[in-house]
């Protein structure tokens, strides 16, 4: 027992640099959020360091953000867009991944390779073609235009995650269902789909965050101010309020708060689904 305890202590001491590196990385990621939150709680007249805590918490910046930037309308637009993007990603992703995971043919291998290849293509590299197509379809400044584009660019990763996860589910379950007379659709709905909860949560979080923070294509597609999402609204707020960065910071905090809250509730399933999709596949 003493030898085991001594060995464990030695391992902990030899790995001290890993813990230090982890703390540094976490600090780098949290620093911008800390600065934004602290700035949003200070009045404009506070000239102290951005890293210094406010002497008195000032909530007036949040009132300015609500009253001056069309923030509530932007949050509504972003929620609508994010909801439908996630629905498309989940349903099309899992249904497209099921035959790819179960039928290990050469054609399916080619399809999976193409999906991986599409994931490597930067979305903005084909913005001209996508934009001209949307203009011809009269999809500019519409919900469905930005929803289709965002879902289309995110679907390859969803199919990849679902395919890896489904591959880890024993094929004997499908065979048993077939013996009982179930077709492919019934097998998927009643056997496979109920087991996809962890990876589905991962897809919801990853694609939900991506849709919520979407900026590149939103800048071209959502041209009318009443159709702006949260990122475009905050961008306008910064551009128009350069002398009041405190209120702009408050708008940014309100924009990221819903995503953080959802992640905190779903993080257990997100981690489990990500590991299962990456490792078991």
């Amino acid at each position: 027992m003493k030898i085991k305890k001594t060995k464990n202590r030695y391992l902990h001491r030899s790995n001290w640099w890993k813990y230090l590196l982890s703390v540094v990385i976490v600090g780098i990621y949290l620093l911008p959020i800390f600065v934004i939150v602290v700035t949003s709680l200070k009045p404009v007249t506070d000239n102290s360091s951005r890293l210094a805590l406010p002497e008195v918490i000032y909530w007036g910046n949040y009132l300015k953000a609500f009253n001056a930037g069309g923030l509530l309308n932007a949050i509504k637009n972003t929620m609508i867009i994010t909801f439908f993007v996630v629905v498309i990603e989940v349903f099309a992703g899992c249904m497209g991944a099921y035959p790819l995971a179960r039928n290990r043919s050469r054609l399916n291998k080619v399809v999976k390779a193409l999906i991986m290849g599409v994931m490597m293509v930067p979305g903005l590299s084909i913005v001209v073609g996508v934009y001209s197509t949307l203009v011809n379809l009269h999809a500019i400044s519409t919900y469905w235009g930005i929803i289709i584009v965002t879902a289309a660019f995110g679907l390859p990763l969803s199919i990849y995650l679902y395919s890896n996860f489904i591959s880890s589910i024993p094929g004997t379950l499908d065979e048993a269902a077939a013996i009982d007379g179930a077709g492919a659709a019934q097998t998927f709905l009643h056997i496979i789909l109920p087991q996809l909860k962890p990876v589905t949560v991962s897809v919801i979080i990853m694609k939900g965050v991506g849709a919520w923070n979407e900026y590149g294509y939103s800048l071209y597609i959502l041209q009318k101010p009443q159709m702006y999402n949260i990122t475009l609204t905050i961008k306008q707020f910064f551009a128009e309020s350069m002398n009041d960065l405190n209120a702009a910071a408050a708008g940014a905090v309100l924009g990221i708060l819903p995503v953080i809250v959802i992640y905190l509730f779903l993080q257990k399933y997100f981690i489990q689904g990500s590991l299962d999709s990456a490792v078991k596949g």
Side-chain angles (χ1 to χ4, degrees):
M1 289 295 293
K2 289 183 179 180
I3 296 176
K4 189 175 181 179
K5 289 181 179 179
T6 303
K7 189 174 182 180
N8 289 336
R9 288 178 183 176
Y10 174 75
L11 290 175
H12 283 297
R13 290 176 182 176
S14 62
N15 291 329
W16 64 269
W17 63 272
K18 296 180 181 179
Y19 297 104
L20 179 61
L21 181 61
S22 300
V23 171
V24 171
I25 293 174
V26 171
I28 291 173
Y29 275 97
L30 291 181
L31 183 60
I33 299 177
F34 174 79
V35 172
I36 291 175
V37 173
V38 168
T39 303
S40 70
L41 296 175
K42 293 180 180 180
V44 180
T45 55
D46 191 334
N47 296 320
S48 62
S49 170
R50 297 295 181 189
L51 298 176
L53 294 173
E55 296 181 1
V56 178
I57 295 179
Y58 178 71
W59 297 104
N61 294 320
Y62 289 90
L63 295 177
K64 292 179 185 178
F66 271 118
N67 296 330
L71 203 61
L72 287 178
N73 182 64
I75 292 176
K76 181 202 73 174
N77 291 338
T78 307
M79 290 178 66
I80 293 173
I81 294 168
T82 301
F83 174 78
F84 284 103
V85 167
V86 168
V87 168
I88 294 173
E89 296 274 2
V90 169
F91 283 96
C94 64
M95 288 189 293
Y98 180 59
L100 289 177
R102 284 296 187 250
N103 300 325
R104 301 180 181 274
S105 63
R106 290 185 178 180
L107 178 60
N108 277 0
K109 290 181 179 179
V110 173
V111 172
K112 292 182 75 172
L114 290 175
I115 290 174
M116 292 292 294
V118 171
M119 289 169 57
M120 301 298 110
V121 178
L124 290 178
S125 64
I126 56 173
V127 64
V128 176
V130 173
Y131 179 78
S132 60
T133 302
L134 293 177
V135 170
N136 293 331
L137 294 175
H138 305 287
I140 300 300
S141 291
T142 63
Y143 285 130
W144 69 271
I146 188 64
I147 288 171
I148 289 177
V149 171
T150 306
F153 281 111
L155 197 56
L157 180 58
S158 299
I159 294 176
Y160 176 76
L161 292 175
Y162 274 115
S163 178
N164 282 354
F165 192 91
I166 293 173
S167 296
S168 69
I169 300 174
T172 53
L173 295 177
D174 301 58
E175 297 171 2
I179 293 174
D180 291 337
Q186 291 176 313
T187 301
F188 174 74
L189 291 175
H190 298 290
I191 304 298
I192 303 299
L193 190 60
Q195 302 184 61
L196 300 182
K197 182 178 179 180
V199 68
T200 297
V201 172
S202 297
V203 171
I204 290 174
I205 292 177
M206 295 173 65
K207 297 308 172 183
V209 170
W212 188 274
N213 295 326
E214 213 290 318
Y215 177 76
Y217 272 92
S218 299
L219 189 62
Y220 295 96
I221 299 174
L222 303 178
Q223 297 182 1
K224 295 181 179 178
Q226 62 267 29
M227 291 298 299
Y228 281 178
N229 60 3
I230 192 70
T231 54
L232 292 181
T233 301
I234 292 176
K235 177 253 182 183
Q236 291 295 113
F237 197 88
F238 271 95
E240 297 173 2
S241 306
M242 289 304 294
N243 294 326
D244 193 358
L245 294 179
N246 302 70
V253 171
L254 293 172
I256 64 176
L257 189 60
V259 177
I260 293 176
V261 171
I262 293 174
Y263 175 75
L264 291 176
F265 279 104
L266 300 178
Q267 61 176 329
K268 179 179 70 173
Y269 301 103
F270 172 70
I271 295 172
Q272 179 185 349
S274 299
L275 290 175
D276 289 343
S277 298
V279 177
K280 291 184 180 180

